[in-house]
């Protein structure tokens, strides 16, 4: 299949003179399109059609051919580019064989990728289409004016993601069968399409567009994929928010969250924190990937209980940088190159991927846990119980009952998470024991203060162990499940906690004995406190943000280097 790429790029413009060679990042606007064409597969020639010697010189410097200048009659503002394309094809075929496909790439869409060009060429190569054009999906509620009234162009109103998409031409890619140019038909009668995200389809027509293009090129677009709810818990949401806050403090990145409509509490929490939330409805992997493409991120940050392999593979095809926030590598369905970068709170004894960052230094905590001063008490006054948002094993009840004999000397304060289902049972326990066993709710943002004021914290084996370490609070840990059990057996080696085992298997006597020993041993508590502060400084979110920005900047620099390489090769 013989293919020529035609890039129309005249010198004059009614809006901005020499727009096509105005510098965007490290290269002229035109060079970005030439680079994408050079990186695509199956293009035999890249021809820039221009009426201007300066544009021609720059085009050649970046690796394109300019075998002719346009005639004067094709140098003005034309209603259609087809006469320009036909002229370029005619000139090309004077000394080359007849073409099979003509690829039209407008210089004013600098962000289209070689991957999308390849997709368009692959489609037209099937023979099913007279042309394949690039489009951008539009789910807006569109109207048209008719006799002074608005008439809807949609069947029914509803959520944006429920609308049937309308596709808008963006001019980035048009692959046309050569025979169509011989007929009086724009694209022929069998038009296929490739869908570009908003960034790829962005077109530059004036100085305001150019300013937006510079921003898109310079500032990364970062999308967090995370969910949280009363049932699922909010730990992943808080972790992502901590990284987002660190990114906002250290960059001008555009940040958004992509969240499932099935988890309303997480959506509300992120929205209240001031970040835009894009909501998608359940509909499988295709719906999720379409939602990601709609934002056109340069970086996707996954913070999920399990990151599925098919999802990561689909992200890799999008060409975005993927960063996964995990507790351990077990949170990835399969460790592969598609995972790209992994930030884990746990070190791994096994072989890790190349982009792996792990250990307590990467414990991602909210700002409430950073740089707090702790007053150590020789004589303990408060024990804090906190077993997560839902406490599925009812460990709060078990531990409170076990520690009831201590309440004459110390306060035993229990925290009910947002999905705590045992409130009535706990209240009955309070009445039965006749002891002072207070239960507090809705203290999420005050949790750091409660931990800081406790002489001993009993918790499960999630992020709480890193939070108490950062605050210098000694801990006694009971795991909620087998996964936590494996992690805590490893984590207990740091000496910041006393690990008792899987919560359902530990009897109340063992819990009481362990707590009494620690309460009566101030030196050991002091040692555990010091080890915790040395292990976790609370700045894991800042470290994670630095990695995100490094990778985002690396992508920008990679694009810039590609442009410079193309320029050097074009000059040889």
């Amino acid at each position: 299949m013989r293919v020529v790429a035609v890039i129309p790029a005249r010198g004059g413009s009614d809006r901005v003179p020499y727009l096509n060679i105005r510098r965007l990042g490290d290269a002229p606007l035109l060079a970005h399109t030439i680079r994408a064409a050079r990186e695509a597969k199956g293009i035999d020639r890249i021809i820039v059609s221009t009426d201007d010697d300066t544009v021609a010189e720059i085009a050649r410097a970046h690796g394109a051919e300019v075998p002719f200048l346009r005639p004067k009659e094709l140098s003005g503002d034309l209603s259609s580019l087809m006469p320009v394309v036909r002229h370029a094809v005619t000139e090309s075929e004077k000394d080359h064989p007849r073409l099979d496909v003509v690829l039209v790439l407008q210089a004013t869409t600098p962000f289209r990728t070689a991957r999308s060009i390849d997709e368009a060429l692959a489609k037209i190569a099937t023979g099913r289409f007279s042309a394949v054009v690039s489009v951008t999906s539009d789910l807006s509620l569109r109207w048209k004016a008719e006799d002074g009234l608005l008439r809807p162009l949609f069947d029914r109103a509803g959520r944006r993601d429920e609308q049937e998409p309308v596709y808008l031409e963006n001019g980035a890619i048009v692959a046309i069968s050569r025979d169509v140019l011989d007929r009086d038909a724009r694209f022929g009668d069998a038009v296929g399409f490739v869908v570009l995200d908003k960034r790829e389809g962005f077109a530059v027509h004036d100085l305001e567009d150019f300013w937006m293009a510079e921003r898109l090129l310079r500032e990364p677009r970062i999308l967090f994929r995370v969910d949280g709810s009363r049932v699922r818990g909010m730990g992943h949401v808080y972790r992502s928010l901590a990284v987002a806050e660190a990114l906002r403090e250290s960059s001008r990145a555009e940040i958004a969250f992509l969240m499932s409509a099935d988890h309303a509490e997480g959506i509300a929490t992120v929205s209240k924190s001031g970040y835009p939330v894009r909501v998608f409805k359940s509909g499988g992997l295709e719906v999720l990937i379409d939602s990601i493409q709609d934002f056109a991120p340069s970086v996707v940050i996954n913070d999920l209980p399990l990151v599925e392999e098919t999802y990561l593979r689909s992200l890799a095809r999008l060409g975005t940088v993927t960063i996964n926030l995990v507790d351990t590598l077990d949170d990835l369905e399969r460790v592969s190159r598609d995972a790209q970068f992994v930030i884990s709170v746990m070190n791994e004894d096994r072989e890790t991927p190349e982009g792996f960052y792990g250990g307590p230094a990467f414990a991602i905590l909210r700002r409430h846990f950073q740089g707090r001063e702790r007053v150590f008490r020789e004589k303990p006054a408060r024990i804090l119980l906190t077993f997560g948002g839902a406490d599925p094993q009812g460990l709060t009840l078990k531990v409170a009952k076990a520690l009831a004999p201590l309440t004459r000397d110390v306060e035993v304060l229990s925290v009910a998470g947002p999905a705590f289902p045992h409130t009535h049972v706990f209240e009955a326990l309070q009445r039965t024991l006749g002891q002072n066993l207070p239960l507090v709710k809705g203290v999420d943002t005050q949790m750091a203060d409660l931990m800081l004021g406790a002489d001993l914290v009993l918790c499960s084996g999630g992020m709480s162990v890193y939070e108490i370490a950062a605050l210098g609070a000694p801990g006694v840990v009971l795991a909620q499940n087998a996964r936590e059990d494996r992690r805590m057996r490893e984590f207990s080696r740091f000496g910041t906690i006393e690990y008792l085992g899987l919560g359902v298997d530990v009897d109340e006597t063992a819990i009481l004995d362990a707590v009494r020993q620690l309460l009566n041993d101030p030196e050991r508590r002091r040692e555990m406190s010091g080890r915790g502060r040395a292990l976790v400084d609370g700045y894991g979110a800042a470290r994670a943000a630095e990695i995100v920005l490094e990778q985002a900047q690396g992508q920008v620099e990679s694009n810039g280097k590609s442009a410079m390489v193309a320029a050097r090769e074009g000059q040889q």
Side-chain angles (χ1 to χ4, degrees):
M1 185 172 74
R2 289 183 292 275
V3 180
V4 66
V6 176
I7 305 174
R10 65 193 182 98
S13 170
D14 290 343
R15 296 183 184 180
V16 184
Y18 285 108
L19 172 69
N20 288 316
I21 56 174
R22 189 181 180 92
R23 202 159 192 81
L24 176 63
D26 293 329
L29 179 64
L30 169 62
H32 293 271
T33 294
I34 295 173
R35 184 191 70 239
R38 286 169 61 88
E39 292 177 352
K41 302 170 185 174
I43 299 177
D44 298 295
R45 302 179 70 192
I46 302 169
I47 295 176
V48 170
S49 171
T50 184
D51 60 338
D52 189 275
D53 288 325
T54 301
V55 175
E57 182 180 349
I58 289 174
R60 292 188 185 104
H62 286 273
E65 298 179 46
V66 189
F68 54 82
L69 292 180
R70 277 192 223 170
K72 186 175 181 180
E73 62 269 19
L74 296 179
S75 300
D77 283 320
L78 303 175
S79 59
S80 170
L81 282 176
M82 294 311 291
V84 172
V85 174
R86 289 192 179 95
H87 171 263
V89 170
T90 300
E91 292 295 318
S92 170
E93 291 178 342
K94 284 181 179 179
D95 52 2
H96 287 78
R98 181 179 172 88
L99 299 167
D100 298 303
V101 172
V102 178
L103 182 69
V104 183
L105 306 173
Q106 293 199 41
T108 49
T109 49
F111 299 123
R112 123 263 292 123
T113 62
R115 182 183 290 105
S116 294
I117 295 173
D118 291 341
E119 183 181 352
L121 291 176
K123 281 196 170 186
I124 201 164
T126 64
R128 294 175 51 209
F129 306 106
S130 54
V132 175
V133 303
S134 64
V135 297
T136 306
S137 175
D138 184 6
L139 299 175
S140 305
L141 298 180
R142 288 181 166 264
W143 303 70
K144 68 176 180 177
E146 192 176 283
D147 299 328
L149 298 174
L150 286 178
R151 305 292 183 190
L153 295 177
F154 49 90
D155 293 331
R156 61 185 179 85
R159 292 169 53 93
R160 185 173 181 272
D161 56 2
E162 293 174 343
Q163 299 302 313
E164 189 73 22
V166 175
Y167 294 109
L168 309 178
E169 279 185 53
N170 51 46
I173 304 168
V174 177
I176 314 171
S177 172
R178 172 64 179 85
D179 294 339
V180 173
L181 295 179
D182 294 332
R183 306 196 301 267
D184 189 20
R186 184 170 178 238
F187 294 149
D189 53 8
V191 182
F193 63 96
V194 294
V195 181
L196 306 188
D197 59 42
K198 289 183 177 179
R199 186 180 189 275
E200 266 202 274
F202 183 80
V204 178
H205 298 298
D206 53 33
L207 289 178
E208 184 178 358
D209 292 340
F210 213 96
W211 175 80
M212 284 298 299
E214 288 177 326
R215 183 180 175 189
L216 286 171
L217 193 66
R218 183 176 62 251
E219 298 173 7
R221 292 165 62 84
I222 298 171
L223 184 66
F224 285 84
R225 171 69 194 100
V226 64
D227 289 313
S229 66
R230 292 173 62 87
V231 175
R232 173 178 283 218
M234 298 293 290
H236 293 278
V237 169
Y238 292 136
R239 179 163 62 184
S240 287
L241 283 172
V243 177
E245 190 64 27
L247 286 167
R248 189 155 62 178
E249 290 177 353
S250 58
S251 75
R252 298 177 61 189
E254 184 175 352
I255 298 170
F257 283 70
L258 180 63
M259 309 182 77
S260 169
D262 297 334
H263 303 289
E265 291 88 356
I267 294 170
T269 298
V270 173
S271 297
K272 288 176 184 177
S273 298
Y275 295 97
V277 178
R278 293 169 162 256
V279 179
F280 72 96
K281 296 183 69 176
S282 299
L285 180 60
E286 185 176 352
V287 172
L288 176 57
I289 295 300
D290 285 347
S291 299
I292 293 172
Q293 280 187 298
D294 189 56
F295 181 69
S298 49
V299 177
V300 175
I301 300 176
N302 297 308
D303 195 346
L304 302 166
L306 180 65
V307 186
E308 296 181 355
E309 181 183 4
T310 53
Y311 167 61
L312 287 177
R313 196 178 302 128
S314 297
L315 282 181
R317 285 196 288 266
L318 293 183
T320 63
V321 173
T322 302
I323 295 176
N324 303 282
L325 306 182
V326 301
D327 293 334
T328 74
L329 287 177
D330 291 336
D331 294 342
L332 300 175
E333 184 178 38
R334 181 172 176 269
V335 178
S336 68
R337 284 182 296 180
D338 291 334
Q340 295 191 22
F341 298 94
V342 179
I343 300 175
S344 171
V345 74
M346 294 290 288
N347 283 312
E348 298 283 346
D349 292 332
R350 55 184 153 167
E351 184 178 356
T352 57
E354 184 177 346
F356 177 82
Y357 301 83
F362 291 97
I364 296 170
L365 309 179
R366 289 169 285 173
R367 63 173 60 252
H368 320 298
F369 297 92
Q370 299 172 359
R372 303 293 296 272
E373 291 295 327
R374 181 178 186 82
V375 177
F376 184 85
R377 290 188 290 254
E378 296 279 341
K379 182 176 174 57
R382 173 183 286 178
I383 300 172
L384 182 71
L385 315 186
T386 172
F387 289 94
D391 188 10
Q393 302 298 334
L395 298 182
T396 306
L397 298 169
K398 183 175 191 175
V399 174
K401 185 178 177 183
L403 300 186
L406 302 177
T407 56
R408 290 184 295 272
D409 301 314
V410 295
E411 180 186 19
V412 178
L413 177 65
S414 299
V415 175
F420 185 69
H422 313 295
T423 301
H424 296 305
V425 180
F426 194 95
E427 290 171 348
L429 179 66
Q430 289 173 314
R431 291 192 296 269
T432 300
L433 294 175
Q435 303 287 347
N436 181 25
L437 290 169
L439 178 71
V440 295
K441 305 176 185 178
V443 296
D444 180 69
T445 56
Q446 291 82 41
M447 182 59 76
D449 295 331
L450 292 176
M451 289 179 170
L452 196 65
D455 299 283
L456 188 64
V457 178
L458 281 87
C459 59
S460 49
M463 287 305 296
S464 293
V465 299
Y466 297 94
E467 292 170 349
I468 63 176
L471 296 172
V476 175
V477 175
L478 292 89
Q480 292 275 9
N481 50 55
R483 177 179 288 188
E484 285 190 6
D485 180 51
R486 290 193 298 272
R487 294 173 185 169
M488 290 304 100
R489 290 181 188 279
E490 177 68 24
F491 183 81
S492 62
R493 299 177 186 175
F494 293 118
T496 67
I497 62 168
E498 176 78 16
Y499 179 54
L500 301 185
L502 200 59
V504 293
D505 297 335
V506 181
D507 61 44
E508 294 174 14
T509 301
I511 297 171
L512 180 59
D513 289 345
V515 170
R516 272 183 170 153
Q517 287 180 23
L518 282 172
L519 294 181
N520 294 329
D521 191 346
E523 287 308 311
R524 187 173 176 214
R525 284 188 284 113
R526 191 188 298 274
E527 181 185 3
M528 293 168 74
S529 176
R531 288 187 177 216
R533 284 190 176 277
L535 184 69
V536 181
D537 62 9
Y539 293 95
R543 294 185 182 94
E546 184 178 350
I547 293 168
V548 172
L549 293 174
E550 281 178 2
Q551 301 310 320
Q553 185 60 34
Q555 191 177 52
V556 172
E557 291 175 356
S558 175
N559 290 339
K561 288 176 182 176
S562 296
M564 288 187 283
V565 168
R568 287 197 298 269
E569 291 177 351
Q571 292 170 340
Q572 293 175 356

